[in-house]
Amino acid sequence: MKIRLAFSILVAKLTIKLCRLVQWGGTSLPGKLARKIYPDVLKEIAKNFSIIMVTGTNGKTTTTRIIGQILYENKIDYITNRSGANLADGITTTFIEAVSLKGKSSTLTALLEVDEAAFKSITDLVKPDTVVVTNFFRDQLDRYGELYTTLNNVASGIHKSPKARLVLNADDSLCASLGRESDREVIYYGFGTEFTHGDKAVGSKETLNSDATFCLFCRSKYRYEFRSYGHLGRFRCPECGYERPVSHVTCLSVDKLTSSNSEIRVIIPEKNTCRDSADTCNPPCSPGLNAVCAENPSYGIIHEPDENQTGFQHPEKDNQTGQQLTGTKHLIQPDIALPGNVYQVKVNLPGLYNIYNALAAAACGYALGLPAENSVKALESFECGFGRMETINTSGKTIKLILVKNPTGFDQVIDYLLTEEKNMQLAFLINDKTADGTDISWLWDVNFEKLQAIQDYIENIYVSGIRAEDMAVRLKYADIYTDKISIQKDYNRLIDTALSRTAEGNCFYILPTYTAMLEIRKVLKKKFNLKEFWK
């Protein structure tokens, strides 16, 4: 046993206990101390784990938690940085909590949320077996730099992880580029058709603030058959031909979108669906995601369960093709999605952006070879993490805490608010600390003007945080009723006032930036006896 390694682990474990004793959290400091004592501690204790990493701009924490639920449904023990401490120190703490003084653990799987800016350096220390990338959007320019810098950092980390399979967003031209012409296993997820809610198309139109207007490879302007939001959608470069790849896990439709959940139809293929060289086919499929099985002429047929079926059941086989059938046949273009079984899923999260998180997690389950039925069960039973659509019920009223941190994510939260059909109280908490981004000019790229459509439902708007005044000015210029806007810097008073004005059965929405979220959650924890954020 390496004495220095054991000593670093011991010091970190004692620090964790001390921090938890005084309610400090102890999510990063213990790892920092351990790395000071033994710089290779993370590399040493992580080497025996099977590692899943989740990175990207938006949705990391939620996607990680849904994957955790999928692992739980499959009875797979795992460790994870549940607190969201996603830099090297926080990840080191996560491993140290799980190992003995010898650096050994009975748990063999690690599920890690990793900051996209730190991904490149963390892969020097920890080699992932699976990498899930959610998306790339402009975020905190003072910290991350230009968008393509972040993309290149993640690409570099992937290059240093040659054994890692990739799970990528097919609708994001930046994210999908990471798997282009790759010789490793790549799993894609996305929307198969234009996003519809009921009979209406809801996809976004091109905006001046689109983060990826031009082709990565030839700089020509992309053309879109449809967009979901931002630069996500079915893209194609008319010059070099770079286009949205075929997706494995594919959302066919959004049948219901409410303020509490989403109901979708999603295709999840069997793990042995033809896409790489298949030993079972004669002649074999040509490699690559666009491969068409020479032996299976029904490529492109998906099978949807009958309405009276609950979940997926193994059906009878088609007499001609030998494929298993259930319910009604549907055709889907083979250049959009792989064929598979269709599942009706009630995602236990609202918002279009959370459907993407659900698809990413389901695609990870597929990549790991886990039963689709268990992934569906996880999507329906998943509970939100702290600050990410976290719900607090009190005296017949609801508080929802929703983190906002960049223009695209904020726009999606506003779209979510548009689904609210009852009167509400609404608070914006804006800080400009390092973890938030010190430049808050990004607020002018958020489409607050959309709130005009529901401002008759918004009874009061509260602005708070270090930059409360800037937020109030932005709302004024968005033509939001100024007589509804008030500045309240005291979080206790803000919560008490807003709740006193919230009718029973209605909701008080709190939209904070990162450090403001940590601050107000401390207040909410004391008032409502919430779990610690690291639990």
Side-chain angles (χ1 to χ4, degrees):
M1 182 177 71
K2 297 178 181 178
I3 295 177
R4 197 173 171 191
L5 171 64
F7 181 66
S8 69
I9 294 172
L10 176 62
V11 170
K13 283 182 175 291
L14 291 174
T15 305
I16 291 170
K17 287 185 178 295
L18 179 61
C19 288
R20 302 284 163 83
L21 187 64
V22 297
Q23 304 293 303
W24 275 2
T27 57
S28 295
L29 178 60
K32 184 176 183 178
L33 292 175
R35 295 177 69 219
K36 285 284 187 183
I37 296 168
Y38 188 72
D40 286 337
V41 60
L42 179 55
K43 182 185 294 186
E44 188 71 27
I45 62 180
K47 64 185 180 182
N48 294 322
F49 284 81
S50 174
I51 295 173
I52 304 165
M53 285 188 181
V54 181
T55 193
T57 303
N58 293 333
K60 294 185 294 293
T61 300
T62 299
T63 299
T64 301
R65 282 178 171 259
I66 301 176
I67 294 171
Q69 187 68 26
I70 291 174
L71 296 177
Y72 172 80
E73 297 295 345
N74 286 279
K75 297 180 171 55
I76 298 173
D77 292 331
Y78 66 97
I79 65 170
T80 187
N81 49 341
R82 186 175 296 275
S83 68
N86 57 17
L87 301 177
D89 293 339
I91 290 171
T92 302
T93 301
T94 297
F95 279 102
I96 284 175
E97 282 193 275
V99 301
S100 67
L101 294 180
K102 294 182 179 180
K104 305 299 180 182
S105 174
S106 58
T107 302
L108 301 177
T109 300
L111 171 60
L112 305 174
E113 173 190 336
V114 181
D115 179 86
E116 60 272 31
F119 184 80
K120 177 181 177 180
S121 60
I122 287 175
T123 50
D124 287 329
L125 306 171
V126 181
K127 299 302 180 186
D129 299 282
T130 302
V131 176
V132 181
V133 187
T134 57
N135 48 58
F136 291 102
F137 290 105
R138 183 162 45 94
D139 187 19
Q140 298 181 30
L141 291 177
D142 54 321
R143 176 168 175 247
Y144 292 105
E146 285 296 329
L147 182 61
Y148 296 100
T149 301
T150 304
L151 174 63
N152 290 334
N153 282 340
V154 173
S156 177
I158 288 172
H159 180 72
K160 289 186 289 186
S161 309
K163 295 182 180 179
R165 66 173 69 88
L166 305 181
V167 179
L168 306 176
N169 189 336
D171 296 347
D172 183 348
S173 57
L174 301 174
C175 186
S177 71
L178 296 171
R180 193 183 191 216
E181 298 180 353
S182 175
D183 57 358
R184 69 178 79 209
E185 182 180 15
V186 184
I187 306 300
Y188 290 100
Y189 61 90
F191 277 85
T193 59
E194 183 174 28
F195 166 58
T196 59
H197 179 205
D199 296 327
K200 297 180 180 179
V202 189
S204 67
K205 298 179 180 179
E206 182 179 7
T207 68
L208 293 175
N209 296 320
S210 178
D211 291 326
T213 301
F214 300 99
C215 178
L216 269 171
F217 303 100
C218 72
R219 307 307 299 164
S220 298
K221 189 174 183 178
Y222 287 122
R223 293 178 182 173
Y224 282 82
E225 184 173 315
F226 68 85
R227 290 175 185 262
S228 50
Y229 66 87
H231 62 270
L232 306 188
R234 191 177 183 196
F235 63 88
R236 186 179 188 281
C237 175
E239 296 299 322
C240 72
Y242 173 53
E243 61 183 343
R244 177 195 184 276
V246 177
S247 52
H248 299 73
V249 174
T250 310
C251 181
L252 285 178
S253 67
V254 178
D255 301 323
K256 192 174 182 180
L257 196 62
T258 72
S259 60
S260 59
N261 57 60
S262 307
E263 294 182 13
I264 65 175
R265 289 188 306 147
V266 59
I267 306 174
I268 304 178
E270 298 294 340
K271 183 60 177 174
N272 61 357
T273 299
C274 295
R275 54 188 167 80
D276 297 313
S277 295
D279 296 333
T280 56
C281 293
N282 185 22
C285 298
S286 57
L289 290 170
N290 291 310
V292 176
C293 178
E295 192 179 47
N296 188 352
S298 62
Y299 182 91
I301 296 179
I302 59 176
H303 304 287
E304 183 175 8
D306 290 324
E307 291 182 0
N308 59 359
Q309 284 185 282
T310 57
F312 174 74
Q313 299 175 355
H314 293 291
E316 297 295 324
K317 289 188 176 182
D318 184 287
N319 290 330
Q320 293 182 343
T321 67
Q323 271 201 324
Q324 290 182 318
L325 305 179
T326 179
T328 307
K329 290 184 181 180
H330 295 267
L331 294 177
I332 189 165
Q333 293 173 252
D335 62 341
I336 295 177
L338 286 179
N341 299 307
V342 177
Y343 295 85
Q344 292 282 160
V345 184
K346 185 175 183 178
V347 179
N348 196 32
L349 286 170
L352 175 59
Y353 60 103
N354 276 321
I355 295 176
Y356 270 109
N357 296 334
L359 294 174
C364 181
Y366 169 72
L368 297 173
L370 302 176
E373 292 84 352
N374 288 345
S375 295
V376 170
K377 186 178 179 181
L379 297 182
E380 296 182 335
S381 60
F382 162 78
E383 294 183 0
C384 301
F386 82 98
R388 278 77 170 181
M389 207 65 72
E390 185 174 10
T391 301
I392 304 165
N393 296 309
T394 174
S395 303
K397 306 172 184 181
T398 302
I399 301 172
K400 281 190 180 291
L401 188 61
I402 310 173
L403 174 68
V404 291
K405 61 176 188 171
N406 54 49
T408 301
F410 215 140
D411 279 339
Q412 285 302 295
V413 173
I414 291 173
D415 285 345
Y416 158 69
L417 292 177
L418 297 180
T419 66
E420 178 61 83
E421 298 176 347
K422 297 179 180 179
N423 288 353
M424 70 182 88
Q425 306 289 317
L426 180 58
F428 299 98
L429 281 57
I430 308 298
N431 280 355
D432 62 353
K433 298 180 181 180
T434 301
D436 306 294
T438 56
D439 179 358
I440 55 116
S441 63
W442 61 271
L443 290 174
W444 292 88
D445 292 332
V446 179
N447 192 357
F448 291 106
E449 285 73 10
K450 289 188 289 187
L451 291 174
Q452 295 172 18
I454 59 168
Q455 61 180 329
D456 289 335
Y457 290 99
I458 305 173
E459 296 178 327
N460 295 280
I461 298 175
Y462 312 88
V463 291
S464 189
I466 298 170
R467 304 303 289 265
E469 291 81 4
D470 297 83
M471 186 68 235
V473 170
R474 177 66 186 93
L475 291 172
K476 178 181 179 179
Y477 276 88
D479 286 333
I480 304 302
Y481 300 147
T482 55
D483 59 345
K484 293 187 175 184
I485 303 171
S486 61
I487 297 174
Q488 179 55 263
K489 293 293 187 83
D490 185 286
Y491 288 156
N492 275 292
R493 189 174 298 174
L494 187 158
I495 294 168
D496 291 342
T497 301
L499 283 178
S500 69
R501 295 173 175 175
T502 303
E504 188 172 335
N506 289 358
C507 190
F508 168 35
Y509 291 97
I510 305 175
L511 278 54
T513 57
Y514 184 74
T515 64
M517 184 262 288
L518 296 179
E519 293 166 356
I520 197 164
R521 199 184 182 281
K522 287 182 181 178
V523 179
L524 292 168
K525 178 187 175 297
K526 291 180 180 179
K527 282 181 173 292
F528 303 107
N529 195 30
L530 305 181
K531 291 190 299 185
E532 297 288 359
F533 69 89
W534 61 83
K535 294 183 179 179

